[in-house]
Amino acid sequence: MVNIPLFPLQAVLFPKCKMQLQIFEPRYLDMISYCMKHDQGFGVILVAEGSEFDVKHIEHVGTLATISDFFQLPNGLLGITITGEGKFSVLDHWKSEKGFLMSESRLLPEEPHISVPDEWFGLVDLLKALVQHPLLQDLELDVNYGDAMVVSNHLAAYMPFSEEKKQSMLEISNPLTRLEKLKGLLNDMQHSA
């Protein structure tokens, strides 16, 4: 069991993936300061009910994040780039005296590193095209295209799926199962287009 500060978002972070955040609320500036002081990351967790400003309920599985870059945004606010590490399961959570959420969580086992089977090379090609998008180029992604966990997480993170669908993919613990689910979702997108 570990105590992890939580950053509830209306977005899902996946292991080995990156995300940029704008930090402006004092409680999250305090949380970043707390993490730096204690040399630890924080957990990104999807808001299940409410909003980022008024969290009513959070999901139970999230991703640990480390800060990989700080920068000042054009509006003068603090921007950070975070990188997803391992997944965790929230057992309990409470509001800290500084106003940000803390959790008692259990770290989940790392997913197996499995080579991408030949039948999924079409998804690898899709991901290679996707990372060329200007919005993703800014993240300077380092993708191991041979690792099914990395490929499936990046596709789940950066394809335009709903956050609920992304959350369900995050909760899958086998990368080949996630690739199978991604293929189904992509087929659904093609048929509805």
Side-chain angles (χ1 to χ4, degrees):
M1 305 302 163
V2 290
N3 286 346
I4 302 170
L6 295 180
F7 201 137
L9 291 174
Q10 290 180 314
V12 177
L13 176 68
F14 285 81
K16 309 296 182 206
C17 297
K18 293 182 179 181
M19 179 186 287
Q20 290 184 335
L21 299 174
Q22 176 177 272
I23 311 294
F24 58 90
E25 285 191 73
R27 61 182 163 166
Y28 294 122
L29 290 166
D30 287 339
M31 186 192 75
I32 298 297
S33 175
Y34 173 92
C35 291
M36 302 303 283
K37 183 176 171 185
H38 292 89
D39 195 25
Q40 74 173 86
F42 55 89
V44 172
I45 195 91
L46 181 65
V47 175
E49 186 182 328
S51 70
E52 293 171 1
F53 304 103
D54 183 24
V55 177
K56 303 279 188 224
H57 182 68
I58 57 173
E59 291 291 347
H60 67 283
V61 174
T63 302
L64 286 170
T66 55
I67 300 169
S68 45
D69 193 20
F70 287 93
F71 50 93
Q72 186 171 8
L73 292 161
N75 59 10
L77 296 175
L78 172 66
I80 60 173
T81 301
I82 57 173
T83 301
E85 303 296 337
K87 294 190 280 188
F88 64 92
S89 176
V90 175
L91 304 172
D92 191 17
H93 67 279
W94 61 94
K95 196 173 278 193
S96 73
E97 52 191 49
K98 294 280 192 178
F100 59 85
L101 288 180
M102 286 291 294
S103 71
E104 180 181 42
S105 294
R106 180 172 57 90
L107 300 180
L108 298 176
E110 185 175 355
E111 290 181 21
H113 292 275
I114 302 169
S115 295
V116 177
D118 293 353
E119 70 213 67
W120 300 113
F121 282 174
L123 292 180
V124 172
D125 291 340
L126 174 62
L127 180 58
K128 286 179 178 177
L130 189 62
V131 299
Q132 297 306 312
H133 191 282
L135 290 175
L136 293 183
Q137 285 184 329
D138 288 349
L139 292 175
E140 299 176 359
L141 299 172
D142 181 22
V143 181
N144 177 352
Y145 293 104
D147 187 322
M149 185 266 286
V150 173
V151 169
S152 65
N153 280 348
H154 278 76
L155 281 170
Y158 301 124
M159 286 298 294
F161 302 126
S162 71
E163 296 309 321
E164 291 74 24
K165 286 182 178 154
K166 290 182 181 192
Q167 179 68 28
S168 71
M169 286 187 276
L170 178 69
E171 293 175 16
I172 295 170
S173 58
N174 183 310
L176 297 182
T177 305
R178 189 178 301 108
L179 284 173
E180 187 78 49
K181 180 157 182 152
L182 280 161
K183 184 71 172 165
L185 289 171
L186 290 166
N187 286 341
D188 291 347
M189 284 175 75
Q190 285 180 326
H191 291 13
S192 65

